[in-house]
Amino acid sequence: MVVQISEHLQILDSLYLKGYRSSLIDRALTKIIELERVNTLKQASELQSKLQTYELQYQMPSEIFYQRFSDGSLGEEIDYFEWGVIYELWQSVQERLQVLQPKRQ
């Protein structure tokens, strides 16, 4: 499936590099990106809510927690592992949002 999508993107890229323009393709791509952005914002919000639960419970920002957890200074409670995974997912979503945010011109 990934190979097929990659091939489709290469075809579109080739067409655009050769000067072909299509308002239909432009609208479709814009809509796909916007839907992905909205979905990713929803994921970010859900993860942020979960992070806040841990932050309140342990009275520690997630960033500080993750640094301490990563260097092994916190221990091995199951909550810490779950918090760490949620934080990593949140970071991944934030990276995706950086790509998906509309470019200001």
Side-chain angles (χ1 to χ4, degrees), residues 11-84:
I11 290 168
L12 291 174
D13 186 49
S14 293
L15 287 172
Y16 272 72
L17 287 174
K18 293 178 182 189
Y20 176 78
R21 299 291 185 261
S22 165
S23 62
L24 175 63
I25 293 172
D26 289 343
R27 287 191 315 271
L29 291 173
T30 298
K31 186 65 175 177
I32 290 167
I33 292 167
E34 179 59 19
L35 289 171
E36 188 62 28
R37 188 180 73 78
V38 167
N39 185 49
T40 303
L41 284 168
K42 181 180 177 211
Q43 289 175 342
S45 177
E46 291 168 356
L47 290 167
Q48 184 66 44
S49 178
K50 291 177 182 181
L51 290 174
Q52 286 174 344
T53 300
Y54 284 109
E55 290 172 350
L56 289 172
Q57 180 178 348
Y58 291 100
Q59 294 295 297
M60 183 186 327
S62 290
E63 186 175 291
I64 301 293
F65 153 76
Y66 193 74
Q67 290 170 353
R68 292 178 61 196
F69 178 68
S70 295
D71 70 19
S73 65
L74 280 182
E76 297 184 3
E77 290 187 41
I78 190 69
D79 274 2
Y80 294 158
F81 288 98
E82 290 173 2
W83 191 0

